[in-house]
């Protein structure tokens, strides 16, 4: 983060200025109160002459000390205004852009006053002090006269020659002062006293005599009143200030003063200062030394209280480096920590591990308990993890439900470290409202230096290992291996190829007929997705559906298939063909999506199709454990006329009671039962029970995977209604379906609305 009180010594260029008031660019730092409009400086476009290479320190000091008073940058040879802040309009009535390029005479009451000011200020400025303080009558734009106080400071070029001045103007009528108009004063005394009144810190003049004795010749400012400090204590004992400065800044400040004393270099540094019987505050010390005639060195400077600035900086830094939900270091902070310890471990040839923890079930927890409780759970997990790791370890948060742990394994075995991480999830987590939630974790581990030499490599390796653990049901944790990285690169390539294929519309529906077991008439079609690659290769769903489900692309794929099926049905109907119910498969991701019903309405009903013609097939696993939610979704669509089929029934562990409560129309017997119906008595008994149960529930029964006439005969004898499989036809493109649709039995044409 850039320190707002560090200024570049490089000159502002034309890009740093704007001729318009509204775009006036800020020059300076914290002392210039960057959020205040009046502290912006406006200067002429194209100001790039070396004479105008103004010291940023000088500008900062002037603008800061000015408070909300006008500040002018004036070319000393022509007395033309080169830049000014927005406060000029409040006091004089001119917009800054109107004054740039004008001589300062426009601000004086008359020519005589203008000339007198110039002569007097030149005389004082060129005596060597470089500062001029006085009171003069000035003129506003409307002609009104007002008494003013001026503090003028010379600006020097790289050769030490004066070429411009900074002038601070104060309308003394605003403060009720009673100045002696026309009388000049010593800027080192009266000017500092005037400026110290509003300074959030203090102004000082510190003198070190040739014998090394220090004393304050001037000391005043709001800091003393704010913290109840007595300036007389510092005057009596100048070293008292140094005793309040904390280490290591105290030692650095003493060295800096010694260097400044010898070389007459300015002092510009930040220190922490402990207020007696009070808080620790931050002070910005800025001073310019000058050698006096007797050999003493005097520092004219000020100390700014920047505690609020530091607090804001720390808060911003915390926001930038920590996760807002858990308060843990974020991924970028973890990477910075890794880079730091890699440098140290490399020197001593040590080892450490990076663990990527995937908190399981967060989606279901958020749905069941709400996001607020889900966030609380993540915070509780972070707290427990911090309690079980060592002092040199770091717990952070990556993305979504991922947590990162950097583990030192020099002194303990990695097995012990892993057991500690897993033990965090042994007991349920108690939330703020006393709710108890259990959770589990999958862990991927990468080792340094075996699995990577950089922070990015190690995080990627841990992430890859985590993904492997997630895909392996019985695996609680996995270590990274080179072959995993190669597999992951292949997977990433396949994922991108599938994503591109979905966007290009290469995923198309093929259709498999469903035949009546009574007369083999066509009673339905099932739409099965295929990937038709541009080179003519046809990819079966087993090769890409698992990847689509794992990556979340299944939602886009399901939507694409639904849209293409609806368009195909509409085309068939437009050609006068008889179309039976066409069933589309709905993944668990899509069925549980809040946008599922809206998508169906948009793609089917809004397309002008009867909802009864596009059926929906879902599996037992799609229902999940929340049967009430599934019931709400299904009944909402059933009211529109949608027909539901339950696919692969009997392969899961669904409750028969729950099946009876859900509005299904069709039950599909899995091919595993059909293939064993002639050889396995138990499978045949289960199949017969399913058919009888379905008949009692009023469900239409379709057997899948029928490949032989013998299987067909047995199913017919058991009372099954219909079947599909290679005995009748594999899934075929839409063009090959048209012949079937001309001879559909038992179906009337469905017209397009």
């Amino acid at each position: 983060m850039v320190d707002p009180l560090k200024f570049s010594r490089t000159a502002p260029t034309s890009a740093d200025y704007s001729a318009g008031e509204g775009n006036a660019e800020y020059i300076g730092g914290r002392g210039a109160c960057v959020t205040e409009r009046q502290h912006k400086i406006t200067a002429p476009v194209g100001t790039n002459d070396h004479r105008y290479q103004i010291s940023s320190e000088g500008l900062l000091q002037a603008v800061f000390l000015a408070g909300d008073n006008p500040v002018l940058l004036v070319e000393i040879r022509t007395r033309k205004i080169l830049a000014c802040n927005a406060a000029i309009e409040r006091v004089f009535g001119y917009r800054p852009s109107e004054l740039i390029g004008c001589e300062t005479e426009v601000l004086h009451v008359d020519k005589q006053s203008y000339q007198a000011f110039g002569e007097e200020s030149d005389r004082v400025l060129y005596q060597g002090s470089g500062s001029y303080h006085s009171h003069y009558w000035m003129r506003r734009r409307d002609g009104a006269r007002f008494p003013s106080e001026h503090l003028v400071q010379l600006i020097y070029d790289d050769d030490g020659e004066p070429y411009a001045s900074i002038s601070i103007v104060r309308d003394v009528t605003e403060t009720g002062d009673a100045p002696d108009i026309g009388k000049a004063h010593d800027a080192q005394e009266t000017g500092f006293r005037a400026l110290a009144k509003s300074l959030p810190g203090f102004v000082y003049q510190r003198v070190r005599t040739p014998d090394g004795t220090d004393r304050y010749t001037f000391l005043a400012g709001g800091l003393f009143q704010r913290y109840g400090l007595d300036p007389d204590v510092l005057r009596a004992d100048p070293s008292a200030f140094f005793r309040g400065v904390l280490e290591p800044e105290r030692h650095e400040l003493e060295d800096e003063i010694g260097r400044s004393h010898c070389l007459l270099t300015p002092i510009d540094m930040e220190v922490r200062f402990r207020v007696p019987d009070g808080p620790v505050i931050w002070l910005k010390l800025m001073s310019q030394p000058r050698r006096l005639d007797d050999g003493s060195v005097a520092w004219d400077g000020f100390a700014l209280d920047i505690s609020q600035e530091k607090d804001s900086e720390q808060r911003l830094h915390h926001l930038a480096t920590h996760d807002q939900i858990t308060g843990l270091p974020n991924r970028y902070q973890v990477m910075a920590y890794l880079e730091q310890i890699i440098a140290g471990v490399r020197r001593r040839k040590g080892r450490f591990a990076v663990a990527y923890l995937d908190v399981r079930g967060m989606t279901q927890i958020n749905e069941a308990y709400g996001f607020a409780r889900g966030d609380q759970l993540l915070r509780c997990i972070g707290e427990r993890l911090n309690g079980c790791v060592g002092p040199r370890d770091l717990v952070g948060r990556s993305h979504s439900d991922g947590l990162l742990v950097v583990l030192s394994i020099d002194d303990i075995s990695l097995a012990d470290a892993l057991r500690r991480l897993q033990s965090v999830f042994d007991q349920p987590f108690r939330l703020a409202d006393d709710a108890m939630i259990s959770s589990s974790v999958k862990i991927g581990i990468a080792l340094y230096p075996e699995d990577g030499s950089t922070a990015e490599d190690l995080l990627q390796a841990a992430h890859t290992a985590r993904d492997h653990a997630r895909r392996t049901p019985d695996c609680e944790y996995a270590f990274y291996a080179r072959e995993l990285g190669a597999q992951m690169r292949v997977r990433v390539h396949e994922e991108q190829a599938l994503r591109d294929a979905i966007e290009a519309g290469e995923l198309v529906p093929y259709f498999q007929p469903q035949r009546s077991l009574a007369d083999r008439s066509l009673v339905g079609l099932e739409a099965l997705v295929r990937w038709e690659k541009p080179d003519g290769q046809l990819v079966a769903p087993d090769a890409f559906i698992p990847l689509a489900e794992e990556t979340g692309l299944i939602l886009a794929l399901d939507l694409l298939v639904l849209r293409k099926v609806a368009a195909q049905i509409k085309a068939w109907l437009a050609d006068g063909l008889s179309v039976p119910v066409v069933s589309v498969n709905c993944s668990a991701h899509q069925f549980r999506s809040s946008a599922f019903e809206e998508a169906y309405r948009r793609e089917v009903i809004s397309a002008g199709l009867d909802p009864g013609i596009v059926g929906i097939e879902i599996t037992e696993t799609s229902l999940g454990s929340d049967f009430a939610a599934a019931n709400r979704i299904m009944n909402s669509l059933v009211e529109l006329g949608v027909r539901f089929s339950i696919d692969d029934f009997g392969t899961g562990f669904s409750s028969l009671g729950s099946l009876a409560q859900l509005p299904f129309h069709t039950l599909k017997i899995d091919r595993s039962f059909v293939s064993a119906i002639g050889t396995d008595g138990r499978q045949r008994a289960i199949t017969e029970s399913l058919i009888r149960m379905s008949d009692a529930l009023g469900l239409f029964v379709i057997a899948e995977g029928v490949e032989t006439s013998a299987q067909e005969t047995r199913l017919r004898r058991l009372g099954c209604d219909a079947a599909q499989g290679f005995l009748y036809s594999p899934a075929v493109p839409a063009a090959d379906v048209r012949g079937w649709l001309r001879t559909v039995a038992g179906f009337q044409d469905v017209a397009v609305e």
Side-chain angles (χ1 to χ4, degrees):
M1 182 174 294
V2 177
D3 187 337
L5 282 167
K6 299 293 185 187
F7 340 105
S8 169
R9 296 183 183 273
T10 305
T13 66
S14 59
D16 296 317
Y17 297 105
S18 169
E21 171 196 3
N23 293 323
E25 188 68 21
Y26 154 73
I27 299 176
R30 180 263 182 194
C33 303
V34 297
T35 59
E36 296 293 334
R37 175 177 176 270
Q38 65 266 26
H39 293 309
K40 293 182 179 179
I41 303 291
T42 304
V45 173
T47 303
N48 53 17
D49 191 294
H50 76 279
R51 294 173 302 158
Y52 304 137
Q53 296 183 354
I54 301 153
S55 162
S56 296
E57 288 87 347
L59 282 175
L60 172 73
Q61 294 180 33
V63 175
F64 183 89
L65 295 176
D68 61 351
N69 296 312
V71 179
L72 299 96
L73 181 65
V74 180
E75 207 270 344
I76 60 173
R77 181 175 55 84
T78 64
R79 297 180 68 180
K80 287 185 177 180
I81 300 172
L82 303 177
C84 55
N85 66 347
I88 201 83
E89 184 173 5
R90 178 181 60 77
V91 174
F92 286 95
Y94 294 96
R95 291 194 299 272
S97 57
E98 294 178 304
L99 289 179
I100 292 173
C102 297
E103 294 183 18
T104 55
E105 182 180 354
V106 70
L107 305 178
H108 285 267
V109 293
D110 52 38
K111 193 174 187 64
Q112 290 74 22
S113 174
Y114 167 67
Q115 292 175 343
F117 184 92
E119 293 171 357
E120 180 66 18
S121 61
D122 286 350
R123 182 183 62 79
V124 175
L125 289 170
Y126 288 105
Q127 283 180 345
S129 67
S131 297
Y132 171 68
H133 180 256
S134 67
H135 293 84
Y136 268 82
W137 286 97
M138 303 298 284
R139 182 179 61 190
R140 307 188 203 278
R141 185 172 190 167
D142 61 5
R145 293 156 52 97
F146 68 95
S148 65
E149 180 182 17
H150 296 255
L151 180 64
V152 182
Q153 179 76 39
L154 282 179
I155 300 294
Y156 298 88
D157 61 20
D158 294 337
D159 297 325
E161 295 296 326
Y163 65 91
S165 66
I166 296 175
S167 180
I168 301 173
V169 182
R170 186 167 66 94
D171 182 353
V172 297
T173 61
E174 296 179 341
T175 59
D177 292 349
D180 186 359
I181 300 299
K183 181 179 179 181
H185 304 275
D186 180 5
Q188 303 302 332
E189 180 67 18
T190 312
F192 269 21
R193 291 185 186 277
L195 292 171
K197 293 180 180 179
S198 60
L199 187 70
F202 61 89
V203 172
Y204 64 88
Q205 185 178 80
R206 183 184 180 94
V207 176
R208 176 169 292 180
T209 60
D211 63 1
T213 302
D214 290 341
R215 73 177 189 276
Y216 286 104
T217 57
F218 179 77
L219 193 62
L223 184 77
F224 300 107
Q225 290 76 24
R226 181 175 183 180
Y227 294 107
L229 299 176
D230 186 355
D232 290 336
V233 173
L234 292 184
R235 293 190 185 95
D237 182 9
S239 62
F241 174 78
F242 290 91
R243 290 196 296 271
V245 177
L246 304 187
E247 291 289 1
E249 291 97 315
R250 181 192 305 170
H251 181 71
E252 294 171 358
L253 177 59
E254 290 172 345
D255 289 346
E256 190 67 20
I257 291 176
R259 187 162 37 250
S260 177
H261 178 266
C262 294
L263 304 176
L264 295 184
T265 53
I267 294 175
D268 181 356
M269 64 181 300
E270 296 174 1
V271 300
R272 290 170 299 164
F273 180 78
R274 180 176 297 282
V275 176
D277 301 323
V280 173
I281 62 174
W282 279 94
L283 294 177
K284 174 72 174 181
L285 306 178
M286 300 177 68
S287 64
Q288 178 67 46
R290 56 194 172 93
R291 196 169 300 279
L292 305 180
D293 293 340
D294 63 356
S296 301
V297 173
W299 286 271
D300 302 312
F302 51 86
L304 310 178
D305 182 0
I306 59 170
S307 301
Q308 291 184 353
E309 210 85 25
K310 282 293 185 179
D311 289 343
S312 298
E313 181 180 321
Q314 290 172 0
R315 285 194 295 270
L316 289 173
H317 182 266
H318 188 273
L319 288 173
T321 58
H322 288 72
D323 173 59
Q324 295 186 35
I325 292 176
T326 62
L328 297 172
N330 60 20
R331 179 184 177 89
Y332 304 104
Q333 183 73 349
V334 172
M335 287 189 67
Y337 180 74
L338 281 174
E339 291 168 355
Q340 176 184 342
I341 64 172
I342 284 173
V345 171
R346 184 184 291 122
R347 287 192 297 270
R348 66 174 188 271
K349 296 183 178 180
R351 300 174 70 235
F352 66 89
V354 178
Y356 195 122
L357 281 65
D358 181 65
V359 181
R360 308 296 291 161
M362 283 303 302
T363 300
Q364 290 78 9
I365 290 171
N366 286 330
E367 291 178 352
Y369 298 98
F371 286 100
R373 283 182 172 174
D375 292 346
Q376 284 187 47
L377 175 61
L378 288 175
R379 286 193 289 273
C380 289
I381 293 172
E383 291 171 0
R384 279 198 193 175
L385 286 172
N386 270 319
C388 81
V389 300
R392 291 186 298 166
D393 301 337
L394 180 73
V395 179
R397 188 182 184 193
S398 183
H399 305 297
S400 185
D401 308 329
L403 298 172
L404 294 166
V405 183
V406 181
L407 295 166
S408 302
I409 55 175
D410 291 347
D411 302 328
I412 60 171
S413 71
L414 183 57
D416 289 339
L418 284 174
R419 277 195 292 271
R420 289 209 310 263
L421 294 182
Q422 290 175 307
S423 68
V424 165
F425 299 87
D426 288 346
Q427 300 297 324
F429 295 87
R430 182 184 296 276
L431 304 187
D433 58 357
D434 288 335
M436 302 293 289
I437 298 180
S438 297
S439 185
S440 61
V441 69
K442 293 276 190 173
I443 307 176
I445 305 105
L447 301 175
Y448 176 88
E450 294 92 332
D451 299 329
S453 59
T454 68
E456 185 63 40
D457 290 343
L458 289 169
L459 288 181
Q460 182 60 49
H463 188 277
T464 300
R466 187 283 312 259
D467 284 349
H468 178 71
R470 288 177 60 180
R471 294 194 301 273
T472 309
D474 298 330
C475 178
E476 294 183 355
Y477 59 85
F479 288 87
Y480 176 76
R482 297 291 177 187
E483 55 269 23
L484 282 181
Q487 293 172 8
M488 187 57 62
R489 285 190 291 273
V490 171
R491 180 181 174 279
V492 169
H493 175 74
E494 292 175 344
E495 178 184 343
Q496 187 58 51
L498 179 57
R499 189 183 304 276
D500 294 341
I502 293 173
E503 293 178 356
E506 296 174 10
L507 283 297
V508 297
Y510 274 44
F511 300 89
Q512 187 173 41
Q514 296 169 336
R515 298 287 181 176
S516 167
L517 288 176
D519 56 9
R520 285 200 173 185
S521 61
L522 185 67
V523 296
L525 296 170
E526 181 179 1
L528 300 168
V529 65
R530 299 291 185 268
W531 183 354
E532 290 184 343
K533 292 192 172 182
D535 60 3
Q537 180 185 0
L538 189 67
V539 184
D542 290 348
F544 60 85
I545 290 296
L547 177 63
E549 290 179 336
E550 185 177 338
T551 59
L553 291 173
I554 192 68
L555 291 172
L557 190 154
D558 283 348
L559 183 60
L560 176 65
V561 172
L562 179 62
R563 182 180 299 128
K564 288 195 171 188
V565 167
Q568 185 58 65
I569 293 174
K570 194 170 182 178
W572 284 332
L573 293 174
D575 290 343
L577 299 175
S578 296
V579 183
V581 174
V582 181
S583 298
V584 295
N585 289 280
C586 178
S587 67
H589 291 77
Q590 187 183 39
F591 182 71
R592 296 171 187 169
S593 169
S594 59
F596 172 56
E597 181 177 346
E598 178 187 349
Y600 187 93
R601 288 176 179 271
R602 181 178 64 252
E603 303 300 337
V604 177
I605 300 176
S606 297
L609 294 175
D610 183 342
I613 204 171
V614 182
I616 297 173
E617 286 194 13
I618 58 176
T619 62
E620 291 182 70
T621 54
S622 299
L623 299 174
S625 58
D626 191 350
F627 282 91
N631 197 26
R632 287 194 300 271
I633 295 172
M634 293 177 67
N635 275 307
S636 179
L637 288 169
V638 166
E639 290 177 0
L640 299 175
V642 180
R643 300 177 64 85
F644 279 91
S645 302
I646 184 166
D647 198 8
D648 301 335
F649 189 81
T651 60
F653 297 95
S654 293
S655 149
L656 295 180
S658 298
L659 174 65
Q661 296 173 14
L662 297 174
F664 284 106
H665 303 86
T666 301
L667 182 144
K668 301 187 73 175
I669 299 176
D670 185 70
R671 65 182 63 247
S672 62
F673 294 103
V674 173
S675 63
I677 196 172
T679 58
D680 190 317
R682 290 187 175 183
Q683 296 285 64
R684 183 170 60 251
I686 293 174
T687 302
E688 183 177 5
S689 298
L690 289 175
I691 294 172
R692 289 181 178 177
M693 177 195 68
S694 299
D695 183 61
L697 294 174
L699 299 177
F700 191 78
V701 182
I702 300 176
E704 294 183 297
V706 178
E707 298 181 353
T708 67
S709 297
Q711 292 172 346
E712 179 187 47
T713 299
R714 290 188 179 94
L715 288 167
R716 185 186 303 113
R717 289 173 179 172
L718 291 175
C720 186
D721 298 307
Q724 67 184 89
F726 284 177
L727 177 64
Y728 311 107
S729 173
V732 298
D736 297 344
V737 178
R738 300 180 68 86
W740 304 337
L741 302 184
R742 294 191 181 96
T743 58
V744 174
F747 283 86
Q748 298 179 352
D749 291 354
V750 181
V752 180
E753 295 180 5

